[in-house]
Structures are given as C-alpha cells and as structure tokens.
Amino acid sequence: MALDAETREQLIDTVRRFVAERLRPLEAKVAEDDAMPADVVREMRELGLFGLSIPAEYGGLDLSMEDECLVAIELGRTSPAFRSTFGTNVGIGSQGLVMFGTPEQKQKYLPGIASGEIITSFALTEPEAGSDSANVQTRAHRDGDAYVLNGAKRFITNANKADLFTVMARSDPEKPGAGGVSAFLVERTLPGLSVGKPEKKMGQQGAHICDVIFENVRVPAENRLGREGEGFKVAMQVLDRGRLHISAVCVGVAERLIADCVAYMGERRQFGQALSNFQLLQGMIADSKTESMAAKALTLETARKRDAGQGVTLEAAAAKYFASEMVGRVADRAVQIFGGSGYVADYGIERFYRDVRIFRIYEGTSQIQQVVIARETLKRGG
Ligand code: COS
C-alpha cells in the first residue's frame, strides 16, 4: 500500500535518524565483532523494520515497492550488514509466503515475521546450483502426509538465526530442471535439519551465511508453498522483487560514499588547497553522482511499474545489474579519492569497498542479470 506523502516523509525521516544516530557509530564495532548487538536488533523490531513489506493485516507496514525502495536507500547509508539483519524477513525470506501462501500459512507465520520474532531465510543455492538454480538436487520425497527432505543448501543468508526457511527442493526426480522443483516452508526445529558454522567472508561482517543440511527432514505436506512443481517460479518471482530492493540499497551506499568523499575533499589539503579544487577528483565525483542518480531513477521507476501491476523481470534485472556495478565503481573511486586513508581501516572506506562486492554476486550475478535482460529484450522484440 502506498503511504500518503506525510507518513512516507515521517517514516523516511525516522529511518534516516536511526541510521545516522544509532547505526553509523556502530559500524566499526559490528565489523570487528562480526556480530549484531542485541539492543540494535530490538530497536529494529520496535521500528517495524522486519515487517516493512508484510501486509498490514498480519502486522506489517505493507509498504509499496516504491516506498520500500525509498526506505532501503536510507538503510544503504550505513554498513549493509545492518540491513541484512531484517533483509531476509523483508525480502527473499518472506515474499514467497506473501505471494504464494495459503491463508492458513500466512496466518501462522506472517505476524511473527512482521514483528521479527520469526527470522526467515531463503534456501535456493546449492553446491551445484548457484547461477544454474534450476539444477536443485535437494530431494523432497512425498511420504504420506509429509515430504521427506534430503540434501544441502549453501551460502544461506541468516541461516544461523533463522526459524523458518523457504526451501526449494526437487519433488519430481523424473523432471530435470525447473519443472521438478517445489517450494516448502521448513521450520528450523524439525528433526534432521542442521546449520553449518558461518563462513568467513570478504565483507559485511555482522551478517552471516551458512550451509543448511537436510537429513530425512519430514515437512508436513501443508507446508508446501504453491503447487507441486511451482517452486522455481516462486523463487524467480521472489528474486525479481529482491533484486529491486538490492538496487535501492546500492543507491543508498553510493550516496553515502559520495557524501563521505565530498566531506573529505573539503577537509584534506594538498598542494596548498582543498582536494575539492582539483578537477581530476571533481571528475570522479561527477561520474559517481551521475551514475548513482541514474541507478536511483531506474530503481524507483521500476518499483512504480511493479506497484502498478506490471511485470518487471527485465527492469529489475537491469536495475540490479546497473546499480550493483555502479556502487562497485563508486566505492573504487572513494578509495582513490581518500588515497592512503582509503586503504587503511580507520576511515571505513576500505570496508565499504569490500562490503559492496557481494552486490554483483548474490540474488543473481551480473552475468545472470545480463542473460535475463537479453532474453526478455529478445522476447519483447526490442
Ligand atoms: N518469473 C516467473 N517465472 C519465471 C521467471 C520469473 N522471473 N523466470 C523464469 N521463470 C519460469 C519460466 O517461464 C519457465 O517456466 P515454463 O517452464 O513454464 O516456461 C521456468 O521458470 C524456467 O525458466 P528458464 O527456462 O528461464 O530457466 P533457466 O534454467 O534457463 O534459468 C535463470 C533462468 C538463469 C535466469 C535463473 O536460473 C536465475 O535467475 N539464476 C540465478 C539465480 C539466483 O539469482 N541465485 C541467487 C541465489 S538467491 S540469493
């Protein structure tokens, strides 16, 4: 639901202040500890951040895609690990349920997801199913009133905290590829489900990814999401939406880095003058600003199209592709503008440089976005 202008302004202002006053001072500590402070998580819950995209009847804020993107831009102005805390509840961990769930499934889980009592994860990726996500090998064998799951998922965001997983598994072994895959809501406490230890990553410390192992996990048949064989479509539609949210976060990070660069260029003096006087550096700022504005326009335009009920597979892929590559270039320029200070940890610029690298990989690599954009363009005839 689209907010009226005043409520939207209030929400954005609240999030902006929370980011500036509460989260930014903790950036270095969260990265150092590789952990999110419990009181910050509690405050995120109180602000309603876990329920941004959940329908109001289940206790969420029910934001339109455009409003969610505007909030995501604000959240991008700090370390992306903060957003990741509730990011799966807002996006890939909840939206399969929102789009394909039965009223009973929604009633059972969405209120807890909206409040943040239930943490969700999206379990699609496997050792042999990364970009080739239709090649899911995890098996879901029907046995009476349940499906028995066996297999392993890899690099699953928030798996170590998750209470509920949306799992894509092959329910029909005779059907290779997308058609044999179904989606399931799998509770963490089911016997046979185990979670590996968090991987050591290049960036975004404080956010975690782990393996999830299924050994004869009996999932009640009523927890299947959508029809049998519909799991790949569930995943793709969830990702169409998720890619837009990530694009907005990339825009937010870019705006943050540009502001940091501008502040530094005003303070730092070389050759007897502020860095801001040097035209070669001004050129870098101009490029970063132009690209960030373009990514923002594409992201918000696509969000509005989605809110109007149009299919945005192509546009969301284009936004994710452009915005994630854009923020990589902006972070690279930021290191260059900060010079030696950009390379040492104290200024936090090198941390952002590492943090943004994953945006070009997760929720579909840049190369997968190119494939999607090209296929859709060819299908549309231009
Ligand atoms: N929305 C709805 N349905 C979709 C869809 C979308 N965005 N994309 C594909 N489908 C449907 C297709 O219409 C097709 O259905 P039919 O068989 O009924 O025609 C089915 O899904 C299979 O689609 P397709 O043939 O395009 O599948 P491919 O195996 O060629 O894979 C890509 C397509 C590569 C685009 C897909 O595997 C992908 O996005 N991979 C990256 C996954 C990813 O983002 N991983 C990150 C992990 S999550 S953090």
Side-chain angles (χ1 to χ4, degrees):
M1 191 186 60
L3 299 176
D4 63 72
E6 195 183 331
T7 316
R8 174 199 277 195
E9 230 8 83
Q10 273 171 4
L11 174 67
I12 288 173
D13 189 55
T14 305
V15 174
R16 187 175 292 158
R17 274 190 288 118
F18 181 62
V19 165
E21 292 163 18
R22 189 71 178 108
L23 303 185
R24 284 182 61 150
L26 291 171
E27 287 171 356
K29 180 177 166 45
V30 165
E32 188 81 10
D33 298 350
D34 193 15
M36 201 53 67
D39 50 348
V40 169
V41 178
R42 200 189 56 245
E43 287 165 46
M44 288 171 171
R45 284 190 177 143
E46 286 163 7
L47 282 172
L49 295 178
F50 285 84
L52 291 176
S53 60
I54 309 297
E57 58 188 304
Y58 302 106
L61 292 182
D62 206 8
L63 297 189
S64 66
M65 196 67 222
E66 184 185 12
D67 289 343
E68 183 183 319
C69 285
L70 290 168
V71 171
I73 290 173
E74 294 307 320
L75 293 163
R77 296 183 206 279
T78 186
S79 297
F82 289 112
R83 183 213 64 96
S84 198
T85 307
F86 50 85
T88 47
N89 273 36
V90 172
I92 55 179
S94 72
Q95 291 305 304
L97 176 53
V98 170
M99 289 187 231
F100 290 88
T102 63
E104 293 74 25
Q105 289 170 338
K106 290 182 181 179
Q107 196 52 56
K108 186 167 178 190
Y109 297 116
L110 284 180
I113 295 173
S115 69
E117 274 154 66
I118 296 176
I119 302 297
T120 58
S121 271
F122 179 73
L124 171 65
T125 299
E126 298 183 0
E128 298 306 322
S131 287
D132 185 8
S133 51
N135 187 35
V136 163
Q137 301 295 313
T138 296
R139 271 287 279 128
H141 169 72
R142 181 80 193 231
D143 180 30
D145 60 355
Y147 287 85
V148 182
L149 265 60
N150 278 288
K153 295 288 175 180
R154 174 154 291 176
F155 304 150
I156 304 305
T157 303
N158 280 342
N160 52 338
K161 302 178 199 85
D163 305 288
L164 184 69
F165 296 88
T166 302
V167 180
M168 268 48 69
R170 188 163 301 282
S171 50
D172 185 349
E174 305 302 318
K175 263 197 200 153
V181 176
S182 300
F184 301 91
L185 296 165
V186 181
E187 294 183 15
R188 163 66 163 271
T189 50
L190 290 180
L193 190 158
S194 56
V195 175
K197 64 177 180 21
E199 303 286 350
K200 286 192 174 157
K201 306 191 267 63
M202 176 191 268
Q204 299 209 13
Q205 275 67 33
H208 301 118
I209 56 172
C210 316
D211 285 355
V212 184
I213 315 292
F214 304 90
E215 288 170 303
N216 293 319
V217 179
R218 281 187 76 82
V219 179
E222 71 212 31
N223 273 31
R224 196 187 64 226
L225 203 49
R227 290 193 302 274
E228 203 166 278
E230 208 177 21
F232 188 76
K233 284 188 191 169
V234 172
M236 288 301 115
Q237 290 192 27
V238 166
L239 285 170
D240 279 350
R241 195 183 178 291
R243 287 167 184 170
L244 257 180
H245 179 104
I246 297 295
S247 309
V249 176
C250 292
V251 170
V253 176
E255 290 188 354
R256 155 72 184 272
L257 287 172
I258 293 167
D260 284 1
C261 287
V262 167
Y264 186 75
M265 284 167 66
E267 283 163 21
R268 169 89 175 151
R269 297 177 71 80
Q270 288 291 280
F271 303 101
Q273 28 181 338
L275 294 191
S276 52
N277 288 334
F278 294 104
Q279 288 187 330
L280 289 177
L281 299 189
Q282 288 178 6
M284 288 191 201
I285 290 294
D287 286 352
S288 292
K289 184 71 181 171
T290 305
E291 292 180 25
S292 145
M293 287 168 70
K296 187 173 187 174
L298 177 58
T299 301
L300 294 177
E301 161 88 6
T302 304
R304 282 190 290 271
K305 274 192 184 166
R306 190 179 186 283
D307 287 334
Q310 297 179 32
V312 294
T313 299
L314 186 159
E315 291 81 354
K320 160 78 161 61
Y321 176 42
F322 185 74
S324 62
E325 295 282 339
M326 174 280 294
V327 75
R329 292 190 292 272
V330 169
D332 187 72
R333 290 184 200 114
V335 173
Q336 199 66 20
I337 288 169
F338 275 72
S341 302
Y343 196 71
V344 300
D346 289 356
Y347 289 78
I349 297 296
E350 62 81 35
R351 190 182 60 240
F352 272 104
Y353 180 79
R354 289 182 287 107
D355 284 350
V356 301
R357 189 62 182 82
I358 191 63
F359 292 137
R360 290 152 63 187
I361 298 171
Y362 70 7
E363 301 202 21
T365 61
S366 288
Q367 290 66 37
I368 286 295
Q369 311 307 337
Q370 287 176 296
V371 167
V372 173
I373 296 161
R375 277 188 190 179
E376 291 292 317
T377 305
L378 292 167
K379 228 192 273 176
R380 294 182 193 182

